[in-house]
Amino acid sequence: MIKTVVLKIWKFFCSLQFAVTVILSLAFASMVGTVLESQYDTATARYWVYRAFWFRMILAALGINIFCVMMSRFPWKKHHAAFLLAHIGILSLLTGSWVTDRRGLDGTLRIEEGETANVVEMDEAQLVFSESDALQAVPVKWIPPGVGFNPIQVAQYGITADQFLSHAEADFSFPEVPAGTPGAAPWIKVQLAGGPMKIRQEFQLWGGDPGWNTIQAGPARLMLFRNALEVPKTLKKELEGQPWAAFFPKKGGGYSVEMGRKWKGGVELKVLEWKSFTTSRVQYRDARVQYGQQAPLSAIHLTTGKTGDGSDVWLGLGERATLQQMGRQIRIGYYPRRVSLPFAVKLHKFDIERYPGTFSPKEYASTVSVQDERNPQAASQSVLISMNEPLHHSGITFYQASYEEAQPRPTVSIFSVNRDPGRWLKYMGSIFLVSGIIWLFVTRWRKRVGGGAIDFHHNPGLLRRQND
């Protein structure tokens, strides 16, 4: 009974019907993936197709079918050689792709001019929790817009990730807090109005973060300091010849302001609102752009307490925060998964060539060197990485992917980092597959040509019938 069932299963996997079903399913999946990628973006196509369980099952079914058909001819004869070569080639391609998927590396390395880096950022995100010396990383799977998010429970810290936004925009607020609250800082909202263009713009300044305490509003600079000691000694000299305003909190409440050069064109500076003690709070919402390269990064919401009645925080990708949980201070970061290379790369110089009369880049390249303790001589050898000339080292390939603008010149070079341990299997499989197909074609062509020539000397009956 068992032998009969096994035999039926074996025949099913070897059957032409199973093969046709698998091939049509693979063609349909490829078509769906191509449409999703063109209509939405690569991440969406990966989620629904290329990294989906059902697509991997189709590839596994293809491998099973190829293997079973190949073994069904056993014991093999000489005339099976082309057939076996083609089938071994397909199995090698599938195996190489699986090895690369499991053990490969595909990420981004960002290096500032003159700096050295060895940390590659992957396209996968994770939450990193730390308390004292304890550290825990929890993977966060990206999901496209409209897909339900399954909450992530981190029992060790009593924290739950209960909301996820695929592409998020930040809304900042600055609520008032009592004096003496850790991290409290002054906040001000000002307005610039008037001038030849009749402008009317509002700006917010917060003294608790260097990214918020200074704003360049056209030719004017607006600044907010918690005290006079924070003001750089060379500030007035740096701002000589341009309008500026610096705000300071008073001890008894309120603020004082110091103005620089008189503002031209009838532009007036007006204080709309002032708070002496505030903290910053960020809320994320769905971005207006949800697909494509212009869509912003993801964000995740974390809360403490079993019913979500404790403290909470929103984190955009690349941000960190601290949550209080029953007297414990838990540091949390929401980062791309990072992989450290066994060597480092130093960026010596970044060069860019633009099309004449435009700012559009024509070509750009990076001069780098590899800092590898296993090969000290490599550090003294400069290598040029351009769009068509990658760097290969220790099985890892670096491609010039992009750069970040900075004035007066680009200072950050972005490399695509790739390690493909299954590449040799895929190359070998391609060679076997093509060789087998050519061999099979040539063999059948020779049989067809040879079968068309009739030997009448050994077939006199045929000759008589021809004469008749």
Side-chain angles (χ1 to χ4, degrees):
M1 179 67 181
I2 296 177
K3 184 178 180 181
T4 304
V5 172
V6 172
L7 185 61
K8 286 184 177 180
I9 295 174
W10 174 262
K11 288 183 177 180
F12 170 74
F13 284 138
C14 294
S15 66
L16 178 62
Q17 293 86 347
F18 180 68
V20 171
T21 301
V22 171
I23 293 173
L24 291 177
S25 299
L26 188 60
F28 175 76
S30 301
M31 179 187 68
V32 172
T34 301
V35 171
L36 288 175
E37 191 166 2
S38 61
Q39 293 295 320
Y40 298 99
D41 49 38
T42 302
T44 302
R46 286 175 178 171
Y47 178 86
W48 289 113
V49 180
Y50 302 124
R51 292 183 180 175
F53 177 78
W54 63 270
F55 183 74
R56 296 173 189 268
M57 289 299 97
I58 291 176
L59 294 178
L62 177 62
I64 292 172
N65 176 249
I66 294 296
F67 177 77
C68 291
V69 170
M70 186 176 68
M71 295 303 297
S72 67
R73 302 294 195 274
F74 189 82
W76 301 306
K77 302 294 190 296
K78 183 178 179 181
H79 65 273
H80 289 142
F83 163 83
L84 290 175
L85 201 60
H87 283 66
I88 291 174
I90 297 175
L91 289 177
S92 297
L93 283 169
L94 292 172
T95 304
S97 300
W98 179 82
V99 170
T100 298
D101 181 65
R102 304 301 298 175
R103 301 179 56 190
L105 178 68
D106 189 9
T108 301
L109 179 66
R110 303 158 59 90
I111 314 178
E112 188 173 343
E113 232 174 10
E115 298 295 324
T116 303
N118 74 325
V119 178
V120 178
E121 290 189 350
M122 311 296 287
D123 64 351
E124 307 155 7
Q126 62 181 4
L127 285 167
V128 180
F129 299 87
S130 60
E131 182 185 20
S132 300
D133 295 332
L135 187 69
Q136 181 181 355
V138 178
V140 179
K141 184 179 180 180
W142 184 87
I143 57 176
V147 176
F149 175 68
N150 294 322
I152 301 173
Q153 303 280 349
V154 187
Q156 180 179 347
Y157 300 101
I159 294 176
T160 302
D162 59 350
Q163 296 181 57
F164 179 86
L165 300 179
S166 309
H167 302 288
E169 293 178 344
D171 286 329
F172 293 93
S173 61
F174 300 91
E176 284 190 283
V177 295
T181 301
W187 170 87
I188 191 172
K189 180 191 285 188
V190 298
Q191 182 187 80
L192 288 178
M197 302 297 294
K198 303 296 181 182
I199 63 169
R200 187 177 296 274
Q201 288 183 291
E202 294 182 1
F203 302 93
Q204 296 184 68
L205 297 166
W206 185 58
D209 190 302
W212 276 92
N213 67 358
T214 301
I215 290 178
Q216 190 72 33
R221 186 179 299 185
L222 307 176
M223 298 163 287
L224 172 61
F225 300 102
R226 287 180 289 189
N227 53 64
L229 297 177
E230 291 186 345
V231 182
K233 294 181 179 180
T234 60
L235 181 63
K236 291 185 178 180
K237 187 176 181 180
E238 293 177 4
L239 298 177
E240 188 176 357
Q242 72 177 86
W244 57 271
F247 299 90
F248 304 88
K250 291 182 178 180
K251 288 186 178 181
Y255 65 91
S256 62
V257 60
E258 185 177 349
M259 305 285 288
R261 177 184 172 185
K262 186 177 180 181
W263 299 42
K264 293 183 177 180
V267 176
E268 294 183 355
L269 176 64
K270 183 179 180 181
V271 176
L272 300 179
E273 192 175 354
W274 166 269
K275 297 178 183 178
S276 297
F277 302 100
T278 65
T279 56
S280 67
R281 183 174 179 82
V282 59
Q283 298 280 347
Y284 279 92
R285 53 182 172 81
D286 286 321
R288 288 165 291 182
V289 179
Q290 285 292 309
Y291 297 101
Q293 296 183 350
Q294 302 302 319
L297 300 175
S298 62
I300 195 166
H301 181 258
L302 302 149
T303 182
T304 63
K306 294 182 179 180
T307 59
D309 54 356
S311 56
D312 69 302
V313 66
W314 274 100
L315 291 176
L317 189 63
E319 296 179 347
R320 63 182 184 272
T322 301
L323 278 182
Q324 304 289 335
Q325 170 71 325
M326 300 179 63
R328 302 163 61 186
Q329 282 195 343
I330 304 168
R331 295 179 295 276
I332 309 171
Y334 179 46
Y335 305 119
R337 185 168 72 87
R338 293 169 179 173
V339 176
S340 297
L341 300 177
F343 56 89
V345 177
K346 182 176 182 180
L347 176 62
H348 297 280
K349 187 180 180 183
F350 182 86
D351 294 301
I352 184 168
E353 181 183 352
R354 303 182 186 274
Y355 286 101
T358 70
F359 288 99
S360 300
K362 179 180 180 181
E363 187 175 357
Y364 44 89
S366 302
T367 302
V368 304
S369 63
V370 177
Q371 314 287 320
D372 194 343
E373 294 181 355
R374 301 166 300 179
N375 184 12
Q377 295 181 352
S380 60
Q381 301 174 357
S382 296
V383 180
L384 185 70
I385 304 178
S386 65
M387 289 181 283
N388 298 318
E389 297 181 12
L391 165 67
H392 303 277
H393 185 83
S394 297
I396 299 177
T397 306
F398 298 83
Y399 301 92
Q400 181 68 67
S402 185
Y403 61 92
E404 285 186 356
E405 291 279 7
Q407 297 298 331
R409 52 169 299 151
T411 58
V412 178
S413 187
I414 302 175
F415 302 98
S416 176
V417 184
N418 179 266
R419 181 180 64 209
D420 190 354
R423 181 178 298 169
W424 69 274
L425 281 169
K426 290 183 281 187
Y427 283 167
M428 183 181 71
S430 300
I431 293 172
F432 283 179
L433 178 59
V434 173
S435 301
I437 292 174
I438 293 175
W439 192 345
L440 189 63
F441 174 80
V442 170
T443 301
R444 292 194 174 185
W445 177 78
R446 290 178 63 183
K447 285 182 178 180
R448 182 176 298 177
V449 172
I454 302 175
D455 189 351
F456 292 103
H457 296 285
H458 293 83
N459 294 277
L462 287 178
L463 180 60
R464 285 194 297 271
R465 284 196 295 272
Q466 289 289 331
N467 293 330
D468 293 339

